[in-house]
Amino acid sequence: MPTPRKHQISLDATPYYHCTSRCVRRAFLCGLDPFSGKDYEHRRQWVEDRIVFLGEVFCIDVCAYAVMSNHHHLVLHINMPEALSLTDLEVCERWHKLYKGTLLTQRFLKGELLDEAQWQAVTAKLEHWRLERANISRFYPKGTLISCLNEPIARMANTEGQCTGRFWESRFKSQALLDEKALAACMAYVGLNPVRAKMARTPEDSEHTRNT
């Protein structure tokens, strides 16, 4: 049986994780599809733009990424200190960049006056959202970084291909990076993916990748 997510991601062990998502069957995320002859190279920018955007919304540092033809790699650092230091207003602003929130949080964001009961409801919601800003995955799909990356890309790809159904093979896979040696090895692995795939001669020449 697969290992439950709560055992795969634990801040007590490490804040660093290598995450991957792969397309179903022969579906192509980016590049030239040899089966259909269609060129999906423009989708790399979709994915990269979304990764950069989510890195600003979540309290999760994107240490490295590589957008490949039928999958992508991410090396992520869960920045819990940043999440805990956010003001209530900052938490609310970040959440509303992705979702509508509630009527009360919308009123709070506008600076409207709330009574005691309404403020308690907003405070409880904001504390929940604060923890969400530092979560790669939870037991439900919405509000997590990976779902906020994969779900919009899947919708855009299906719309472009005029089809429906599952685009990603399964829920993303994650691997804990327990020490500096593991982190360095994983960063090198992700950075060299485009080179091994003959997409670039060197990591420095690779487009739509990052390795910091």
Side-chain angles (χ1 to χ4, degrees), residues 39-65:
D39 190 352
Y40 299 116
E41 187 65 23
H42 59 281
R43 291 181 182 173
R44 292 191 200 278
Q45 196 62 53
W46 294 359
V47 180
E48 185 171 27
D49 289 346
R50 189 68 179 174
I51 290 172
V52 172
F53 168 68
L54 293 176
E56 297 171 351
V57 174
F58 282 79
C59 296
I60 296 177
D61 305 317
V62 182
C63 304
Y65 61 80

Side-chain angles (χ1 to χ4, degrees), residues 17-178:
Y17 293 87
H18 173 212
C19 302
T20 62
S21 292
R22 185 175 297 275
C23 297
V24 296
R25 305 185 189 93
R26 293 179 176 177
F28 250 60
L29 172 61
C30 305
L32 182 64
D33 183 348
F35 300 102
S36 67
K38 295 182 179 178
D39 190 352
Y40 299 116
E41 187 65 23
H42 59 281
R43 291 181 182 173
R44 292 191 200 278
Q45 196 62 53
W46 294 359
V47 180
E48 185 171 27
D49 289 346
R50 189 68 179 174
I51 290 172
V52 172
F53 168 68
L54 293 176
E56 297 171 351
V57 174
F58 282 79
C59 296
I60 296 177
D61 305 317
V62 182
C63 304
Y65 61 80
V67 184
M68 307 303 291
S69 61
N70 65 349
H71 66 285
H72 60 67
H73 294 268
L74 292 167
V75 178
L76 303 175
H77 170 251
I78 301 175
N79 196 337
M80 185 58 73
E82 180 188 2
L84 297 177
S85 69
L86 293 177
T87 66
D88 288 341
L89 181 59
E90 288 171 332
V91 172
C92 196
E93 287 174 338
R94 291 194 184 202
W95 185 267
H96 279 257
K97 287 182 179 181
L98 292 169
Y99 302 109
K100 291 182 179 179
T102 68
L103 290 176
L104 289 179
T105 60
Q106 291 172 12
R107 290 181 57 188
F108 168 70
L109 203 57
K110 294 175 182 177
E112 296 181 10
L113 186 64
L114 302 175
D115 62 33
E116 183 63 26
Q118 291 171 332
W119 175 242
Q120 288 181 1
V122 168
T123 299
K125 183 64 71 175
L126 292 179
E127 284 308 301
H128 173 68
W129 290 350
R130 183 187 303 280
L131 296 179
E132 286 287 286
R133 296 307 81 201
N135 270 294
I136 294 175
S137 177
R138 293 177 71 82
F139 296 112
Y140 47 90
K142 292 208 175 214
T144 66
L145 185 146
I146 298 296
S147 67
C148 289
L149 170 61
N150 285 353
E151 289 177 6
I153 297 301
R155 288 195 297 269
M156 293 168 68
N158 282 348
T159 298
E160 183 181 52
Q162 298 182 333
C163 62
T164 59
R166 183 180 293 275
F167 183 75
W168 299 102
E169 187 175 67
S170 62
R171 291 194 67 194
F172 75 95
K173 297 177 175 62
S174 71
Q175 179 183 14
L177 304 174
L178 299 176

